[in-house]
Amino acid sequence: MEKQQLESIWNKCLNGDRKAQFALYQLFSKKMYAVCLRYAPDEQQAKDILQVGFIKVFRKGKHFENKGSLEGWIRRIMVHTAIENHRRNQMSSVESFDESHESLAGTMESTDNVQYKDLLALIQLLPLGYRTVFNMYVIDGYSHREIAEKLNISEGNSKSQLSRARQWLQEKLLKMEGKAS
């Protein structure tokens, strides 16, 4: 989509045009759903985060100052919405691993090299506390200090969660490589 078309849709969104809001949603919903899914414990919560996030986009649209991309601004709203959702539903930082998830991970198809989709699937299987910190640090680029502030945990807890997430992922990847050999 051309920049002018996107600007036109966005300006209409700012004026409350429902068709334009739907067009913007259609344009970005798949990418933003992927962001939400990285943080959510399941698909339904990811869909809920996506919906709440887009409501915020439309309500707070006047705060977008055209500095950077609109997509980047929307993405930040989705990440913040997911973090808020995590806070509300905060579980223990070290959850027990569900056996059904382990069997799902074991059935993933693998080749000589672990595919990108397989890695994303493994990240989705991380216990919620590990996954949240992993996503914020590795994928979204937050510092441990920022993660600690946003999740109301200590920096040490953030570092520990990241270390455990990496260790967990490494073990699962080694298992997958072993099965592929």
Side-chain angles (χ1 to χ4, degrees), residues 39 79-80 83 136-137 140-144 146-147 150:
Y39 285 93
V79 168
H80 286 282
I83 291 168
M136 291 178 75
Y137 186 84
D140 295 320
Y142 286 96
S143 70
H144 286 293
E146 292 169 320
I147 294 169
K150 292 187 180 301

Side-chain angles (χ1 to χ4, degrees), residues 18-71:
R18 296 283 184 200
K19 288 182 181 178
Q21 289 174 344
F22 181 72
L24 189 77
Y25 178 85
Q26 290 295 104
L27 187 62
F28 292 114
S29 63
K30 286 184 182 178
K31 287 181 182 179
M32 298 307 138
Y33 176 69
V35 170
C36 297
L37 193 56
R38 287 194 344 246
Y39 285 93
D42 57 50
E43 290 181 9
Q44 186 56 49
Q45 282 197 24
K47 289 175 185 176
D48 292 345
I49 293 167
L50 181 71
Q51 295 303 315
V52 171
F54 268 104
I55 290 169
K56 288 181 181 181
V57 165
F58 299 132
R59 286 187 180 158
K60 297 180 179 198
K62 62 184 177 271
H63 297 293
F64 177 63
E65 299 173 349
N66 287 321
K67 295 179 183 174
S69 73
L70 177 61
E71 181 177 344

Side-chain angles (χ1 to χ4, degrees), residues 61-97:
K62 62 184 177 271
H63 297 293
F64 177 63
E65 299 173 349
N66 287 321
K67 295 179 183 174
S69 73
L70 177 61
E71 181 177 344
W73 182 76
I74 293 171
R75 186 175 186 278
R76 276 193 307 278
I77 288 176
M78 295 299 163
V79 168
H80 286 282
T81 303
I83 291 168
E84 290 169 7
N85 183 67
H86 174 75
R87 275 191 199 147
R88 271 194 308 275
N89 301 324
Q90 202 161 33
M91 299 174 164
S92 67
S93 60
V94 181
E95 296 178 17
S96 60
F97 186 71

Side-chain angles (χ1 to χ4, degrees), residues 37-42 86 89-99 101-102 105 120-135 151 160-172:
L37 193 56
R38 287 194 344 246
Y39 285 93
D42 57 50
H86 174 75
N89 301 324
Q90 202 161 33
M91 299 174 164
S92 67
S93 60
V94 181
E95 296 178 17
S96 60
F97 186 71
D98 186 337
E99 295 301 322
H101 285 0
E102 190 164 309
L120 287 178
L122 276 178
I123 291 169
Q124 188 63 26
L125 295 175
L126 278 166
L128 185 59
Y130 295 177
R131 182 174 63 235
T132 302
V133 172
F134 182 86
N135 280 319
L151 298 180
S160 174
Q161 293 282 330
L162 177 63
S163 175
R164 290 176 181 168
R166 285 180 171 163
Q167 181 180 5
W168 188 94
L169 286 170
Q170 187 174 28
E171 289 172 9
K172 297 302 176 194

